[in-house]
Every structure is written in structure tokens, then in C-alpha cells.
Amino acid sequence: MTLPRYVSTLLLCAGAVACDGSAGYNHHTGGGDDPDPPPPPASNAVAPAPAKFSCDAKAVPADLPLPRLSRTQLMNSLRFAVVRALPKEADALWTKLTPDLARYPLDRRIPAPGDLKGGFSRLDQSIQQTQIDVMYDLGRGVAQELTSTDTRRNTLLGACASDSQTANDRACLETFIRGWGSRVLRYPLPPAEVTAFADIAGTTPVDRASVADVITTLLNSPWFLYRIEHGTTTGQAATPLSAFELASKLSYQLWQAPPDDALWAAATDGSLLTEDGFNAQLDRMLKSPQLRNSLDEFVNEWLRLDELPSLVALRNDPVYQAFVGAEMPTDATRAAMFEDVQLSAYNTLVSGGSVSDFLHDPKSYTADPFLAGIYGVPTWNGTGPAPVIPSKNRGGLVTRAAMLATGTASTRPIHKGYMVRNALLCQQVGAPPPNASDRPPAPTDRMTTRQAVSQLTSGGSCGGCHNNTINPPGFVLEGFDALGRERTVERLFNAQGKETAAPSVDTSADVQLYDAEVRSISSAVDLSRMIDESQLFESCIAQHYFRFAHARVESTSGDSCLLSELETVARSGAPMADLLKTVARHPTFKKRSFQ
């Protein structure tokens, strides 16, 4: 069976690698006080790679023509509309809408040119007929639920909807549109637009069916489905955003949702357009738990966490049963593995830690007993200091279970090598030739995983790329099994699940990060140190965050100044939160380019 996570099937005879990057080491473990001193610099430390980006002050960055809300952002916007309309009934109403919500198509993950995997769902700016059809159904469904009873209708419109007067019915509806409609569409509706929406109700402005028609139209407006930005001036190549356009951009960037009351108020009184007012809102939003709405998605898609298959799909396979042991992991464990990485990033960010600190974070952030057992720590309930993983063999991010588990009994070193190269270092590996094997190599009852991989990939046209680039980082991680458990031997099994041998694992490899920077290492800790010293990881996260924030692949010329600034921040040891602030504070964030 070929599983989607395993790009090893794509890389068995891959072409050459292209890479570039740079470094700085300022240790601060995420989420609290530093339990250990920073590791001493190695005598054979890797030299920082050259900076990947340099600013061209004459460059003109581009904007997306018409940013479409991602699926996540759209669902959050619908939820916002429901909660704002009927806060006490929102949970029950949302549950009732679940079947229709599930019909809305997923955004496609689009790899950057030259990448074989990865990409961010925000980059999918296509629009399909299915999206249009389902969105109409969703708008209609929300509208019908919000107006399903007189009581609900009266909650929406107020007492004027049910009093004995009819002369005020039109004004009653317009007040609702001016209030709820403006918040849902994310800008104060001018009188002419209020009139246009109210006209949809015809001569029965507070009739439940008429109000439902108005709500359906509002929720299918382009202003709801897109982030429309006109700016505040005309006839210019770039124009400052209005306060409400800026509020929406900031809110969807950091929270994946419409502006909350405080941000809306700052847009209304104009303080958001001042430097102090903008920074106050930015700092407030970065301290909010809602930041996880975007940070979790960024980390998940950057590191391709959800490509990990189910941990129980092979539960009836004798080899997998024997490999796992008495206690089988669950899909809750799989989700906990993702959250462990996401919470490492979040706690590093909110505690003032740097990008380097995230790479080296030694703490466990799981409430799942199975995962906690893998790490050798107690479960964590989310409050107080997170437990420190006691093993000195774990090297932070690269040895978190989500980065090591495979859903099989095989460790897949080719996949891990590609993950290190492409996701952590932003190095590209060429596409495999047409005759490349479509089956990832696996251990046998007499051959270890490393032996199987080497036998298949070390010779011929495969050898150049696999021997020097893909395989070495994966081999260094062979000190951990396919669930992320530490090991010194690899247990081999026959087809019936009987253990046939347990040879020692070989984790030694010559790892070349770039140019002549090659080191002979044998531990994940050494691999993490090399990655950090090269500062390729810092350059890479800057590049990935640019793509996530802007919902497009960078132009190395047009976007060079912001990319260079992000790279400098990431390499400087500054707080990780400064990456997010750098994007939001950059002059291009507050403008709309029409070039």
C-alpha cells in the first residue's frame, strides 16, 4: 500500500538539490524558564550560510487581485455571523448546520514551484462551482435557522418586529442590516447599500421569509466571501487601506476570523490608523488564545503534520501489532502528536522565545497518556510549566513524535530526509526519473531499514542524490522507531509478526547542509545543532511564513525587502513573535497595490 505521506516513492532516484540560507544561537526554551544551560558551541560548528534574501529598494511587491477567504476563514466568519445573531443558541444551531458545512470543498495545498510536497491551503485562490453552490445553501440554511421562529426573528430585529405598528417595519429591518450586516460584511454599510439590501424584503420587511432572503443575500455577498480592498485614494498605484480594511486584514491574518469588538471599535474611532493604536491592537491580538487559529494552521501545513496516516489503520497486521506492543495507539494519539508540535510553537512564541528556541524546545505538551509515555513524562493539563523530556537524545523539533511516526512498522528515512531538506531547510530536490520505484523500501526479517534503503538507492543514478542529500538526515534519525520511541536496536519481524533479529541501529552519517559544510554525526541532537548553526532553518521559516501570510509564493525580486527583513529577524535570536509583527508593521501591509 502506498501512503500519501511518503514522498520516498517520489525520491528514490531524485535529481539535484538547490539550497541557500543563514544563523545565530540564542537559547530560550518555549513556555517558561530555561531548565538547562544552552549547549556549548561545538569546535566543528557549521558556519552560517549566506543570507538568502537581500533588499532591492526599487522592487515593487504585488498583491493578490481579490483575496478569497480560505475555508477555515469562511467557516469562522459564518460562525461569527451566527453567534452575533443568536449568541445563546449558536452552538445548537451550528451543530444542526454541520452536514452542509462539511460539503464545502477543502482548499488544495499547493506546493511552491520546484517543491514536491507541502504548500499552504491559503494559496488556493481558485473558485469552483461547488463552492458557489454550497455557499448559497449555507447562507440559506443559516438564514432559515435564524428566522425559523418569531422568537428568533424578534431577537434579531428587536421589539419593533413584533409590535402593533407597521409603519416602523422598514426602519426596523434597516437597523438590523446597518448593525448585524455591517459586522458580517466587515465595513459600515452606507445608506444606499442598506436601502438596497432592505429592498430585497419588498413590502413585508419583518416577515420571517423576507428577513431570511435578506440574510441569504448578505451571506452570499462578495464582501462576505472575499477581502475586498479599495483603499482610501484613487488613481494611484498603491493606496492606504481604510481603517476597516486594515482591521479585516489584521484579524484574518492573526486570528482567521472577522474583527472582534475591540478591533472594530479601533477602526470606528480611527485609532487603528495611528501607529500607537495599531501597535496596541497588534500586541493585544498576539497575546490572545485566538492566535492559535492561525499559528496552528501555519505549523501544521509548514511541517505537513496531517500527512501522518492513521496510527490504527494497520492494527490487524501481525507485523504492526508485534512492533507496537501491548498497547495500541489511537487516532487521539495522532491528534495529540500534532498538538504537541503546535503547542511548542505557541508556547515558544508567547513566552518570548526565538525561532531557534522552537527548534530546540525540550518540553512535552501532551495530555495523551500514550504520547507522554513515549516521551517519558507525565501528562500535561495545559496549565503550569510543561514537563521537560528527560532524554538527552532528543533534539527538539526533529524528534517530536509527529515528525517521526509513520503509521507503519517502518521508519521511512527517505521521507524524513526529504522533510529535513525541504520543510526545515527550504532546499529543493529534483523530481525522480520515470523509472523510479513506487514502493518505499522497508525492512525484512533479515535486513534493517537502513540496509534496505541503501541497497535500493545507493547505486546508479539514485546514488548521487540519495547518498549525499536525502538519506543522511534520515539515517541520523534511525535512533527512533516508527512511533517516535527511542531505540538502540531495530526489531525485525517475519510476515507472521515473529521477531527474527534485533541488530543495533546505525545512526552515523556524513551530513552536508550546504557547500562544503559537511559533518560526520550520529545523533539527532547533532543534527538539530547543525541545522541551527547553519541558520538555514531560520531563513526557511521566514520564507514559509511569508507565503502563509500573503497567501502566495514570494517573488524573490518584488518581495525582497520584506523577505530580507523577516530573515534578519529570524536569524537575530529575536522573539519569534517578531516575525508576525514584522509582517504586520511592514508598510506594504497597510497599503493596497494595484500594480
Side-chain angles (χ1 to χ4, degrees):
M1 178 176 66
T2 302
L3 297 171
R5 177 168 179 154
Y6 302 133
V7 296
S8 41
T9 62
L10 299 174
L11 300 173
L12 290 181
C13 287
V17 163
C19 60
D20 214 341
S22 163
Y25 193 72
N26 180 13
H27 189 72
H28 177 294
T29 56
D33 295 333
D34 195 347
D36 295 303
S43 58
N44 63 339
V46 174
K52 190 168 186 176
F53 306 105
S54 59
C55 177
D56 177 2
K58 298 179 180 179
V60 179
D63 273 330
L64 288 175
L66 187 62
R68 174 177 67 80
L69 296 188
S70 70
R71 188 184 194 278
T72 297
Q73 292 168 345
L74 184 63
M75 295 300 112
N76 288 341
S77 300
L78 277 171
R79 174 82 183 186
F80 174 87
V82 171
V83 171
R84 193 148 197 94
L86 296 175
K88 294 182 180 180
E89 301 183 66
D91 290 341
L93 196 156
W94 193 251
T95 299
K96 193 171 182 178
L97 291 168
T98 297
D100 280 337
L101 296 170
R103 291 172 49 220
Y104 192 86
L106 296 175
D107 294 322
R108 293 179 298 119
R109 299 271 290 280
I110 302 175
D115 287 348
L116 303 178
K117 298 285 286 182
F120 296 100
S121 55
R122 281 188 180 188
L123 272 66
D124 183 1
Q125 289 292 307
S126 63
I127 188 73
Q128 310 167 34
Q129 186 63 44
T130 304
Q131 290 168 302
I132 296 170
D133 295 341
V134 174
M135 189 58 226
Y136 177 80
D137 292 342
L138 282 171
R140 189 68 178 166
V142 169
Q144 289 175 341
E145 287 296 329
L146 295 183
T147 60
S148 61
T149 66
D150 287 345
T151 300
R152 285 184 172 180
R153 187 271 319 269
N154 296 344
T155 301
L156 294 180
L157 271 62
C160 58
S162 59
D163 61 20
S164 58
Q165 303 294 320
T166 58
N168 65 352
D169 286 355
R170 172 77 181 207
C172 187
L173 177 62
E174 289 185 352
T175 299
F176 165 71
I177 295 170
R178 194 176 298 109
W180 184 84
S182 292
R183 291 302 302 271
V184 166
L185 298 188
R186 305 181 290 278
Y187 72 102
L189 291 172
E193 294 184 32
V194 172
T195 298
F197 282 116
D199 285 347
I200 294 168
T203 60
T204 55
V206 297
D207 176 76
R208 291 191 345 233
S210 298
V211 176
D213 287 343
V214 172
I215 293 173
T216 301
T217 305
L218 283 163
L219 294 179
N220 280 274
S221 165
W223 287 90
F224 184 75
L225 304 174
Y226 296 86
R227 278 199 307 103
I228 298 176
E229 297 171 342
H230 292 306
T232 55
T233 59
T234 59
Q236 296 184 6
T239 175
L241 297 177
S242 73
F244 294 97
E245 291 168 345
L246 183 58
S248 289
K249 187 172 185 178
L250 186 62
S251 189
Y252 281 110
Q253 173 60 29
L254 296 180
W255 289 353
Q256 307 254 66
D260 67 353
D261 290 346
L263 187 56
W264 183 266
T268 301
D269 65 23
S271 61
L272 187 63
L273 297 179
T274 68
E275 183 177 357
D276 288 346
F278 181 84
N279 287 336
Q281 290 299 317
L282 177 59
D283 290 342
R284 178 183 70 87
M285 296 176 74
L286 288 174
K287 294 175 183 177
S288 168
Q290 291 188 74
L291 179 65
R292 286 197 62 190
N293 291 341
S294 65
L295 188 63
D296 284 0
E297 182 176 293
F298 169 66
V299 171
N300 179 72
E301 296 188 349
W302 162 39
L303 299 174
R304 306 155 199 181
L305 301 180
D306 57 5
E307 293 179 2
L308 169 63
S310 168
L311 298 180
V312 299
L314 298 179
R315 61 184 175 276
N316 296 322
D317 177 72
V319 173
Y320 189 65
Q321 289 176 341
F323 159 71
V324 170
E327 183 183 359
M328 183 71 62
T330 66
D331 278 335
T333 300
R334 175 179 178 268
M337 288 178 175
F338 302 164
E339 188 175 38
D340 176 54
V341 181
Q342 293 164 341
L343 282 171
S344 173
Y346 177 72
N347 280 275
T348 299
L349 190 147
V350 299
S351 68
S354 66
V355 171
S356 173
D357 296 326
F358 171 53
L359 177 64
H360 294 289
D361 185 8
K363 297 183 179 181
S364 165
Y365 300 94
T366 186
D368 182 78
F370 190 95
L371 180 54
I374 289 175
Y375 289 153
V377 296
T379 56
W380 183 58
N381 65 5
T383 61
V388 175
I389 300 172
S391 174
K392 301 303 180 184
N393 297 321
R394 289 199 182 263
L397 175 63
V398 297
T399 55
R400 291 198 177 272
M403 308 292 282
L404 299 168
T406 68
T408 73
S410 177
T411 51
R412 308 299 199 227
I414 295 175
H415 163 76
K416 292 171 187 174
Y418 181 76
M419 179 270 295
V420 169
R421 290 292 179 188
N422 188 244
L424 303 189
L425 302 177
C426 288
Q427 295 174 349
Q428 293 185 330
V429 178
N435 63 344
S437 171
D438 63 353
R439 298 187 63 183
T444 68
D445 58 352
R446 293 295 171 188
M447 184 180 293
T448 67
T449 301
R450 179 164 183 160
Q451 289 169 340
V453 169
S454 296
Q455 183 182 74
L456 188 62
T457 65
S458 62
S461 60
C462 300
C465 191
H466 278 273
N467 292 342
N468 300 326
T469 302
I470 299 173
N471 295 353
F475 288 156
V476 170
L477 296 174
E478 281 293 278
F480 301 88
D481 71 13
L483 281 172
R485 299 175 297 199
E486 289 186 51
R487 67 180 185 179
T488 56
V489 299
E490 179 175 2
R491 299 166 62 217
L492 305 179
F493 305 95
N494 63 20
Q496 291 72 44
K498 180 181 178 181
E499 185 173 328
T500 58
S504 299
V505 293
D506 180 4
T507 60
S508 62
D510 293 336
V511 177
Q512 177 186 15
L513 287 190
Y514 73 97
D515 296 341
E517 294 297 331
V518 184
R519 299 292 184 275
S520 296
I521 62 173
S522 59
S523 75
V525 173
D526 287 340
L527 180 62
S528 291
R529 175 184 55 78
M530 285 185 68
I531 290 171
D532 195 22
E533 288 172 349
S534 74
Q535 294 203 340
L536 290 168
F537 178 74
E538 284 78 358
S539 295
C540 190
I541 193 174
Q543 186 172 2
H544 279 296
Y545 189 70
F546 177 95
R547 293 172 179 175
F548 178 77
H550 291 79
R552 61 178 176 83
V553 175
E554 70 283 349
S555 163
T556 53
S557 56
D559 300 308
S560 61
C561 290
L562 178 53
L563 286 164
S564 177
E565 193 172 338
L566 286 169
E567 182 178 43
T568 299
V569 169
R571 289 182 168 209
S572 71
M576 193 168 163
D578 284 4
L579 277 177
L580 283 63
K581 291 180 180 179
T582 296
V583 170
R585 288 174 175 166
H586 197 266
T588 56
F589 188 86
K590 300 178 182 180
K591 294 180 179 180
R592 174 68 186 176
S593 174
F594 293 100
Q595 291 182 299

